[in-house]
Amino acid sequence: MELIKRLEDILSKKGINQKELSEKANVAELSISRIMTGKTKPSLDSLEKIANALNVELWELFTNELHKKDLTALVDYKGELFKAKTLEELEEIVKKIKDHNKK
């Protein structure tokens, strides 16, 4: 739920609605809606597109504090679920996935 709350906060602060986010991120409007309602887990690719469209770092979609201790993020990559409890763990997961995709 942290992701949904953060997305709502960021969209509100930037004055962007879901349709505009969909267009800027090049992510289907239905996908954005399903992410925002918690009906689907976003892929790493979608998260990166959303972060880029909102001009925020990927970690900012999960927390607004760089060193927040109670961060919990779940990343579903090709059916494998990764859990990060810290920003450093989340960054390491993202790095491993990016490295794997380069091969």
Side-chain angles (χ1 to χ4, degrees):
M1 289 301 193
E2 182 74 17
L3 173 64
I4 296 168
K5 183 179 180 325
R6 287 293 302 142
L7 280 172
E8 288 172 347
D9 289 347
I10 295 168
L11 290 174
S12 175
K13 286 178 184 172
K14 294 187 177 276
I16 298 172
N17 62 36
Q18 289 183 25
K19 181 176 177 138
E20 292 168 324
L21 174 60
S22 169
E23 292 168 359
K24 288 181 177 204
N26 196 26
V27 174
E29 191 173 351
L30 179 59
S31 295
I32 297 291
S33 175
R34 293 179 60 80
I35 292 166
M36 297 295 293
T37 57
K39 292 181 180 174
T40 191
K41 296 176 194 166
S43 67
L44 179 60
D45 183 55
S46 292
L47 288 172
E48 287 182 322
K49 288 178 178 179
I50 290 168
N52 287 336
L54 294 172
N55 199 28
V56 299
E57 297 293 329
L58 183 60
W59 64 263
E60 290 178 272
L61 297 179
F62 299 96
T63 180
N64 60 354
E65 298 174 28
L66 183 57
H67 298 291
K68 188 173 180 180
K69 297 293 181 194
D70 61 348
L71 167 71
T72 300
L74 296 175
V75 179
D76 184 354
Y77 178 68
K78 294 186 178 181
E80 188 172 352
L81 195 60
F82 297 90
K83 185 174 183 178
K85 292 186 178 181
T86 66
L87 175 60
E88 291 78 19
E89 288 177 3
L90 178 60
E91 289 172 338
E92 186 63 28
I93 291 168
V94 170
K95 182 182 180 304
K96 286 179 183 178
I97 292 171
K98 284 182 175 180
D99 290 346
H100 181 265
N101 285 336
K102 289 180 183 177
K103 294 179 182 178

